[in-house]
Amino acid sequence: MTPSTDDPLVSTDWLAAHLDDPKVKIIDATFKLPGVLPLPVEDYLAAHLPGAVFFDVDHIADPNDPRPHMFPTAEQFARDVAALGISSGDTVVAYDAGGWVAAPRAWWMFLSFGHPDVKVLDGGLKKWLREGRPTHSGKVAPKPGKFQARLDPGYIRSQQQLVGNLQTHAEQLIDARPRPRFEGTGVEPRPGLRPGHIPGSRNVPYAELFDANTGAMKPLDELRKAFAGAGVDMARPIVTSCGSGVSALVLTLALYRLGVRGSALYDGSWSEWGLPDGPPVATGPA
């Protein structure tokens, strides 16, 4: 069912040929920064891939954590995913409407909770529409699935772990935010956060890893150059970070395509580290 390649991406051609496959479940994981309208769910209701359900990054999260969309418990993830009509034996294909922002987050969550049969649609809705493929509107009401989840803690890192890493430098940290925000000269979309970045981290802006016109991810050699240009050693352990643990997974997805395994996500990202009483902050270029 899933393409035999280890590439985490699937093409629009592949998905178009599997729209009627009952074991292929499509999720729209579109996400936007706070205050950006229309809301992602409103975009979904207006136009989505046939049969797609809405994977709400802010809802499939820990409701008791004040930080934005932190990982839920395995029990909650299983319950929320099953409510979307997804079962443990299904192939999940995630996409989003923007430029590679949230579909990789959904992809990483499924992997983290023990579901390896998950892919990201290369180019997302943007490429799908450019090719003149069909969309539907309105809400999809699927029959509940049966999903089992078990979180592998190795897929995520806590602030405490990264504070410890400031001394050991055992893991490289790569920040996916735009350069002005990384360097501390840009404005953070969430008020009250300090400017800058985690000391010692590198910067690979996520938007530089995909084609802005087509929405497709760049070729492997260009991805490799982007990480090498930032001083990243892909043979050493890597943790990705961003504003709130969403766009960081664009980096993780690109690294995965380049053969990197065992990387992790700093789930709290800058929305936690950048708080006024947080750990040390650096500014300027890496």
Side-chain angles (χ1 to χ4, degrees):
M1 184 176 313
T2 302
S4 58
T5 175
D6 195 32
D7 194 330
L9 300 183
V10 292
S11 68
T12 50
D13 285 341
W14 184 91
L15 186 56
H18 289 80
L19 285 178
D20 295 327
D21 189 330
K23 300 295 286 183
V24 174
K25 302 298 173 65
I26 308 172
I27 59 173
D28 182 327
T30 299
F31 167 80
K32 297 181 181 180
L33 290 171
V36 179
L37 299 174
L39 295 173
V41 69
E42 294 171 340
D43 286 339
Y44 162 80
L45 292 173
H48 55 77
L49 269 63
V53 293
F54 186 63
F55 184 97
D56 190 335
V57 173
D58 286 321
H59 174 76
I60 304 178
D62 185 347
N64 300 314
D65 197 313
R67 297 167 293 179
H69 40 256
M70 295 293 289
F71 265 51
T73 63
E75 292 77 15
Q76 182 190 340
F77 187 78
R79 182 175 66 251
D80 290 347
V81 166
L84 295 178
I86 299 171
S87 295
S88 291
D90 291 333
T91 296
V92 178
V93 179
Y95 77 90
D96 58 50
W100 289 97
V101 173
R105 165 77 182 199
W107 164 76
W108 195 246
M109 291 181 76
F110 274 93
L111 290 180
S112 301
F113 285 105
H115 188 85
D117 200 357
V118 57
K119 300 287 183 177
V120 173
L121 179 63
D122 192 14
L125 182 63
K126 178 183 289 189
K127 188 170 186 290
W128 186 270
L129 291 174
R130 283 174 62 93
E131 295 168 348
R133 301 183 189 274
T135 59
H136 290 171
S137 61
K139 188 176 181 180
V140 175
K143 178 183 176 182
K146 295 181 179 180
F147 194 89
Q148 294 182 328
R150 182 175 182 180
L151 177 63
D152 182 340
Y155 279 76
I156 53 177
R157 294 289 183 274
S158 67
Q159 178 178 285
Q160 183 180 6
Q161 288 172 305
L162 289 191
V163 168
N165 193 65
L166 292 177
Q167 303 299 322
T168 66
H169 304 290
E171 295 181 311
Q172 302 169 96
L173 186 67
I174 317 176
D175 192 319
R177 291 176 299 156
R179 283 193 176 85
R181 289 171 59 191
F182 176 85
E183 295 178 0
T185 60
V187 177
E188 284 295 318
R190 294 176 177 82
L193 298 179
R194 295 172 293 166
H197 58 266
I198 299 174
S201 57
R202 302 289 181 171
N203 186 212
V204 178
Y206 77 90
E208 297 182 5
L209 301 184
F210 62 91
D211 186 311
N213 292 320
T214 66
M217 187 162 267
K218 289 183 175 179
L220 296 182
D221 60 336
E222 294 188 39
L223 299 181
R224 194 173 288 109
K225 288 178 183 177
F227 288 105
V232 177
D233 182 353
M234 288 188 288
R236 293 185 53 226
I238 292 172
V239 177
T240 60
S241 177
C242 59
S244 64
V246 177
S247 60
L249 279 316
V250 178
L251 308 189
T252 304
L253 182 74
L255 290 165
Y256 203 94
R257 295 193 69 211
L258 293 170
V260 174
R261 299 294 182 270
S263 67
L265 165 71
Y266 173 28
D267 195 21
S269 284
W270 199 249
S271 62
E272 177 181 47
W273 194 282
L275 290 171
D277 57 350
V281 166
T283 56

